[in-house]
Amino acid sequence: MLIRVLGSAAGGGFPQWNCGCTNCRGVREGSLKALPRSQESVAISGDGERWFLLNASPEIRQQIESFPSLHPRAARHSPIAAILLTNGDLDHCLGLLSLRESHPLVIYATERLRRGFTEGNVLYRTLERTPEQVTWRALKPGREEDLGGLTVEAVSVPGKPPIHLEHAFPPDPEDGVGFKIRERGSGRVLAYFSGVAAVTDEIREALAGADCVLFDGTFWSEDELPAQGLGGKRAVQMAHVPIGGAGGSLASLSGLSAKRRIYIHINNTNPILREDSPERAAVVGAGWEIAWDGMEITL
Ligand SMILES: [Zn+2]
Ligand SMILES: [Zn+2]
């Protein structure tokens, strides 16, 4: 299985347009040892011909252009066979509306996510110009879907509805999912969990059998935003388990056997973005890597 990180940052990207935090300022000025990053999206393929996007970020056009394997091979063509969505947050879905050039799209998502994106959304009509423009395929937690050479199983993760739907829907187990993606031939497994509010037994089980884990690296600490004067929301209120601390993912996932363990969906405030920070040293010392735009993994 081929894995290419197209974007490795959380919503807002790094730097974020309206953010003057230490990290964003430093990366703009070039005074920080850190790489800029676009918003989270990953391309995967079993054969190098048909590709699947995990999430569709607002930066999808540049992300597709950044990776020649995703370029068209005919006058009207795309090697993107389908797009798989983890949740309805705009940093994961908004890119769909940029793929509006009358190209047939196949989208895998929970029924709940599909409804949240399509119902009452007048902009969605741009993807309904012909009846066959979008084919939705329902992901159901615990059920395996055949992608041809690869299979995907959605795993329910604790989360919340996207901000713009918080008042429309009560929280639901299908608000957010992670993926277990298996290559049929080799049996190798990628576990993709980029938005996780808490590490449940179900998630632990999914990660235990994986050869490569991509995991929620949004925040280092529970109070990362309030501590930097960036609003009052704590990590858990934004449905992200922090990396550090006693209840953090670094401690609670310390027993994983996966050869590659990689943090992705990293918020611009996170100190692990700074290559010379003690937090980054702690993560690397524990055997984890930090995703960057353009990172490639062959499983
Ligand atoms: Zn996100
Ligand atoms: Zn910032």
Side-chain angles (χ1 to χ4, degrees):
M1 190 183 333
L2 304 163
I3 303 165
R4 163 95 174 197
V5 176
L6 303 174
S8 50
F14 179 48
Q16 177 179 313
W17 71 278
N18 65 342
C19 191
C21 75
T22 314
N23 280 357
C24 288
R25 236 181 22 243
V27 78
R28 275 191 201 104
E29 290 168 355
S31 59
L32 205 72
K33 252 189 114 185
L35 293 171
R37 286 164 163 86
S38 64
Q39 294 165 90
E40 177 233 27
S41 176
V42 168
I44 60 164
S45 178
D47 58 9
E49 293 296 319
R50 297 171 69 251
W51 287 83
F52 298 87
L53 297 190
L54 312 182
N55 287 331
S57 95
E59 291 159 289
I60 195 165
R61 195 195 71 84
Q62 297 93 315
Q63 290 174 336
I64 290 170
E65 288 305 315
S66 76
F67 185 36
S69 296
L70 299 180
H71 295 173
R73 290 164 204 155
R76 272 285 188 271
H77 170 264
S78 171
I80 299 169
I83 300 166
L84 287 68
L85 303 174
T86 56
N87 68 36
D89 291 345
L90 287 183
D91 56 316
H92 307 155
C93 296
L94 204 51
L96 295 175
L97 296 176
S98 294
L99 304 179
R100 65 191 184 281
E101 282 79 18
S102 300
H103 195 89
L105 302 175
V106 177
I107 304 171
Y108 287 84
T110 63
E111 176 59 10
R112 164 72 164 222
L113 197 162
R114 185 195 66 76
R115 284 186 57 204
F117 190 80
T118 61
E119 288 180 6
N121 176 7
V122 70
L123 297 180
Y124 180 66
R125 290 182 200 160
T126 196
L127 298 180
E128 287 183 311
R129 282 186 269 178
T130 57
E132 65 279 5
Q133 195 170 349
V134 176
T135 305
W136 289 89
R137 302 237 163 96
L139 289 174
K140 200 83 194 141
R143 190 175 74 193
E144 202 169 64
E145 302 294 331
D146 184 13
L147 302 176
L150 302 174
T151 62
V152 61
E153 181 190 329
V155 178
S156 186
V157 299
K160 61 172 188 56
I163 289 172
H164 57 283
L165 294 174
E166 272 175 0
H167 303 288
F169 293 121
D172 183 278
E174 291 197 7
D175 281 331
V177 293
F179 300 133
K180 254 171 77 177
I181 297 166
R182 184 185 306 277
E183 188 171 44
R184 278 191 195 283
S186 67
R188 300 246 160 83
V189 172
L190 163 68
Y192 192 80
F193 288 79
S194 63
V196 174
V199 180
T200 60
D201 287 346
E202 216 182 342
I203 295 174
R204 218 178 270 285
E205 200 177 303
L207 300 181
D211 299 279
C212 177
V213 169
L214 280 151
F215 197 81
D216 185 339
T218 311
F219 298 116
W220 171 260
S221 54
E222 184 55 57
D223 65 346
E224 190 161 307
L225 297 184
Q228 297 188 44
L230 301 169
K233 280 197 179 164
R234 299 175 67 76
V236 68
Q237 290 171 293
M238 300 178 78
H240 295 291
V241 62
I243 298 172
S249 59
L250 200 58
S252 58
L253 298 178
S254 61
L256 286 187
S257 62
K259 273 199 285 295
R260 307 286 299 264
R261 285 162 281 153
I262 304 164
Y263 280 115
I264 193 166
H265 194 273
I266 304 156
N267 198 56
N268 57 76
T269 48
N270 194 324
I272 66 166
L273 289 169
R274 300 196 294 270
E275 287 162 26
D276 50 6
S277 71
E279 292 86 353
R280 190 186 186 98
V283 165
V284 171
W288 285 75
E289 301 168 72
I290 292 144
W292 45 278
D293 296 14
M295 183 184 207
E296 286 188 7
I297 301 137
T298 306
L299 270 197

